Amino acid sequence: MKQIISRLAAFLVSACMAASIAAGQTSSAAVDAEGHQWWQHAVFYEIYPRSFADSNNDGVGDLKGITLKLDYLKDLGVDAIWISPCFPSPQVDFGYDVSDYENIDPMYGTLADFDVLASEAKKRDIHIILDFVVNHSSDQHKWFLDSKSSLTSAHRDWYIWRDGKGPGEPPNNWVSTFGGSAWKLDPATNQYYYHYFYAEQPDLNWRNPAVKDAMFDVERWWYKRGVAGFRLDAVDTLFEDPDLHDNAILGPGKNAFGDPIEQENYNKRLPEVHDVLRGLRKVADEYGAVLIGETWTSNIAELNAYYGRGNNELHLPMDFLFTTVDKLSPVEFRKQIASVDAASGWPTFVISNHDKVRSYDRYGDGQHNDQIAKLMAALYLTLRGSPIMYYGEEIGMKTTPPTRKEDVKDPIGRTGWPDEKGRDGERTPMQWDSTENAGFSKGTPWLPVPPTYRTHNVADESKDPNSVLEFYKKVLKLRHTNRALLDGNYTAINESDANVLSYLRVYKDHGVVVALNMSGTPRKMSLELKRNGFTSAKRLLATEKSEAQGDEVSLEPYGVFIGELTK
Ligand code: GLC
């Protein structure tokens, strides 16, 4: 009887898996004995599509360009690509103003190009994650066009409309994070609509069940097309206080846009956000998909809240607290890693993205930037959790902001100049080789290619065994194949060392030690192996002059040592 039941169960499991794979969906089956799912062993890679690869030489990257680079990504060790918004958009915020959630912007190609990308990615076992802009649409979306058309239009309540406080006075004091009041008067109906970002990005009204249904349908639509999950944009700001209480003003200072600095208690991280996340997750679970969240949390309690009680919200809330450690400080990193490692869900680590200064400059000292880029790779790619890389990080791309206001493309760089130069600097074209325009495009790139393409590009670095790129490949290969790096626990060692960050990753009998010299002078130290049940460490990957003998490791300035532990 027992045998029959277990055969029946096995049959049902395989039938369900076959059905879901036939529908182009990702299986949520565990990939190891620990019950981990694919995304827990995956390395994610963010592609900013405008800047990755331009197949039609119009100066802007496109989906065909991404398809052409899939072999590169596979060889690098990438398991999933997150493509920043590639949907139809007036491009006021470069795609984060979506005018149609279920299509591809002609500048990036067609739905057919997307399908080719999806099937080619699948052949290489690369998952596709799209960027779901849930907080707002474009003001050119048909929902908003209808919404603003009259006080009684079918979509009026799909956005946040309110009367002003008095003539010329917005409904309250909330400011847009991109400058100025967060309210814009629409003269046709004499009401204001709310926009946390640009005025061209009106906030959707998630209190309206019709909005929820429509957005959940969008989610399903893409899963059915083979998408393995979403990065959810700006989830902190999904809800606003319905009574529109003014935010408190934090002191007399002003931000780069000349606005008062507010404590955003009434328009950020409202508890209702979690209901929506649970709803999006329920749909994701139907398809075995993964949800990554753009979560600007200021402490671990806030991060934990995003996993949800019982882990029923985001699978991977991005931990930007890690990027707030803006210097090579073992003490600070240790503190941050320990708290994330103890968080209630699977950790995810990010060091760069399209809104932040690149890690290359954040940590670089101007002299040892390449060594430091390798050190950072050895750090965040060997932690327990899923890393999210940013294109170009693996070749040591440098933030290259415009030097003149007239060259700025990102609107916040124009309104906030010179204090806020915008985000062009971290969005420059990918540096593929040392030919003109770094091999990104034969046309004029939408943003200038940084001069560093001559020394930092994929083609040349692929030929140099000591390049940043080759180091990334080695670390990524190790993390994909080493049991302890995939599944091992994290244990900090030498916890009071102010120069070297070191830790063990241990899974059953397998152990790995990672020692990272965050200082510019050579260091020697004990690896505390005996105390942890091991005797020595055999080199798996290390920088040239870093090595271990028995329990002692010697590290060159900014040196890395990763070793297999033996009993
Ligand atoms: C997110 C995106 C950012 C965009 C904003 C508004 O923060 O990462 O690039 O400008 O949302 O959509």
Side-chain angles (χ1 to χ4, degrees):
M1 185 65 179
K2 244 190 190 167
Q3 250 184 357
I4 295 173
I5 292 174
S6 75
R7 269 197 210 144
L8 190 66
F11 169 76
L12 285 176
V13 167
S14 62
C16 288
M17 277 177 68
S20 81
I21 288 163
Q25 299 149 15
T26 307
S27 154
S28 56
V31 293
D32 65 12
E34 302 306 299
H36 289 146
Q37 316 239 321
W38 70 268
W39 49 268
Q40 293 178 288
H41 285 174
V43 171
F44 293 80
Y45 182 99
E46 180 190 357
I47 291 180
Y48 197 67
R50 295 181 75 84
S51 301
F52 194 61
D54 177 15
S55 76
N56 63 353
N57 297 313
D58 63 355
V60 174
D62 45 49
L63 295 187
K64 277 189 182 155
I66 299 176
T67 307
L68 290 170
K69 300 297 182 186
L70 286 172
D71 286 334
Y72 165 74
L73 295 168
K74 184 72 196 167
D75 182 50
L76 174 61
V78 166
D79 306 292
I81 49 175
W82 147 31
I83 307 173
S84 297
C86 51
F87 317 106
S89 161
Q91 304 288 327
V92 172
D93 194 14
F94 298 113
Y96 283 95
D97 44 327
V98 179
S99 54
D100 179 356
Y101 285 100
E102 295 176 354
N103 212 333
I104 297 293
D105 193 296
M107 90 169 36
Y108 296 125
T110 61
L111 275 173
D113 294 336
F114 176 82
D115 292 340
V116 172
L117 169 62
S119 78
E120 288 299 315
K122 195 168 181 183
K123 281 186 202 156
R124 293 162 178 83
D125 220 2
I126 294 178
H127 296 86
I128 296 188
I129 308 295
L130 289 185
D131 206 319
F132 196 7
V133 186
V134 280
N135 177 70
H136 48 269
S137 72
S138 157
D139 64 347
Q140 298 307 308
H141 194 292
K142 62 180 184 211
W143 299 338
F144 189 73
L145 293 177
D146 181 56
S147 183
K148 70 182 264 196
S149 67
S150 86
L151 287 170
T152 54
S153 71
H155 291 87
R156 185 65 174 180
D157 195 31
W158 283 46
Y159 296 84
I160 322 278
W161 290 98
R162 289 296 152 82
D163 292 330
K165 252 189 189 163
E169 254 190 284
N172 70 5
N173 77 345
W174 299 347
V175 294
S176 157
T177 194
F178 286 165
S181 168
W183 296 96
K184 182 166 177 185
L185 180 68
D186 179 46
T189 56
N190 201 28
Q191 279 200 319
Y192 288 80
Y193 68 87
Y194 175 70
H195 59 92
Y196 184 77
F197 297 95
Y198 295 122
E200 293 84 349
Q201 296 169 298
D203 275 50
L204 283 156
N205 176 15
W206 276 90
R207 296 186 191 277
N208 181 345
V211 169
K212 276 194 194 170
D213 290 346
M215 294 299 265
F216 292 168
D217 282 350
V218 170
E219 197 190 353
R220 279 194 193 93
W221 195 87
W222 283 107
Y223 292 147
K224 287 186 188 142
R225 234 181 160 101
V227 162
F230 285 100
R231 176 260 190 189
L232 302 176
D233 185 62
V235 293
D236 291 341
T237 51
L238 282 184
F239 282 88
E240 302 73 34
D241 169 28
D243 298 327
L244 304 191
H245 285 97
D246 277 346
N247 279 327
I249 307 290
L250 299 171
K254 298 265 182 259
N255 65 19
F257 307 110
D259 296 321
I261 299 165
E262 297 189 348
Q263 185 165 14
E264 297 175 308
N265 279 351
Y266 290 109
N267 55 347
K268 230 180 190 175
R269 272 181 236 114
L270 264 58
E272 293 89 328
V273 167
H274 299 284
D275 301 332
V276 168
L277 293 180
R278 280 190 290 274
L280 290 164
R281 172 64 178 266
K282 217 165 145 226
V283 180
D285 285 346
E286 290 166 19
Y287 294 86
V290 63
L291 293 181
I292 304 171
E294 188 201 15
T295 44
W296 295 96
T297 54
S298 48
N299 55 54
I300 291 295
E302 285 177 1
L303 189 73
N304 277 337
Y306 275 122
Y307 287 107
R309 280 197 207 106
N311 277 300
N312 58 356
E313 296 185 28
L314 297 172
H315 297 91
L316 299 171
M318 287 191 206
D319 174 33
F320 288 111
L321 287 165
F322 198 71
T323 61
T324 61
V325 182
D326 58 1
K327 52 182 185 298
L328 288 179
S329 160
V331 177
E332 290 301 312
F333 275 120
R334 214 173 271 133
K335 219 193 291 165
Q336 181 54 31
I337 297 164
S339 48
V340 175
D341 195 69
S344 56
W346 187 252
T348 174
F349 292 99
V350 179
I351 58 173
S352 303
N353 80 6
H354 65 283
D355 295 323
K356 291 196 84 64
V357 164
R358 285 184 176 273
S359 52
Y360 192 78
D361 331 39
R362 187 175 331 124
Y363 301 109
D365 64 353
Q367 279 180 350
H368 306 92
N369 286 15
D370 282 5
Q371 284 105 304
I372 294 171
K374 294 176 193 171
L375 181 89
M376 286 308 296
L379 164 58
Y380 94 111
L381 300 174
T382 62
L383 291 173
R384 189 180 74 89
S386 302
I388 305 181
M389 295 171 58
Y390 183 48
Y391 84 93
E393 177 192 302
E394 74 276 20
I395 52 171
M397 271 176 65
K398 188 173 180 302
T399 317
T400 314
T403 50
R404 304 180 318 168
K405 187 178 170 186
E406 56 268 38
D407 296 333
V408 175
K409 294 280 191 317
D410 185 13
I412 56 167
R414 275 182 261 127
T415 32
W417 190 273
D419 293 350
E420 166 63 73
K421 293 197 168 72
R423 298 160 292 180
D424 295 352
E426 51 265 34
R427 299 173 174 180
T428 57
M430 177 70 175
Q431 298 166 192
W432 294 105
D433 58 40
S434 60
T435 65
E436 207 187 350
N437 298 333
F440 162 72
S441 174
K442 291 201 170 64
T444 308
W446 76 285
L447 279 178
V449 171
T452 59
Y453 80 97
R454 292 192 190 87
T455 50
H456 290 76
N457 64 65
V458 171
D460 291 344
E461 289 190 43
S462 302
K463 288 181 230 138
D464 173 5
N466 291 320
S467 66
V468 177
L469 178 60
E470 287 306 299
F471 192 84
Y472 260 84
K473 282 191 202 161
K474 285 180 205 150
V475 187
L476 288 171
K477 187 160 183 203
L478 193 59
R479 76 160 277 138
H480 278 110
T481 48
N482 186 290
R483 202 75 254 155
L485 289 182
L486 286 169
D487 292 327
N489 293 331
Y490 164 89
T491 310
I493 53 174
N494 294 310
E495 288 194 72
S496 52
D497 196 314
N499 296 295
V500 178
L501 178 68
S502 51
Y503 46 90
L504 306 182
R505 298 283 317 279
V506 179
Y507 177 75
K508 297 189 176 160
D509 276 350
H510 303 278
V512 162
V513 63
V514 179
L516 308 164
N517 183 359
M518 296 197 157
S519 79
T521 43
R523 304 276 162 193
K524 260 191 191 356
M525 50 177 264
S526 147
L527 291 171
E528 301 187 342
L529 296 183
K530 277 213 183 86
R531 191 204 288 185
N532 287 289
F534 297 96
T535 55
S536 62
K538 200 174 93 224
R539 182 188 200 277
L540 284 167
L541 175 59
T543 46
E544 204 188 340
K545 292 180 199 126
S546 300
E547 57 181 6
Q549 267 182 356
D551 186 57
E552 192 181 71
V553 69
S554 330
L555 297 162
E556 65 196 290
Y558 306 109
V560 171
F561 179 85
I562 305 176
E564 177 99 54
L565 298 177
T566 45
K567 292 249 173 193

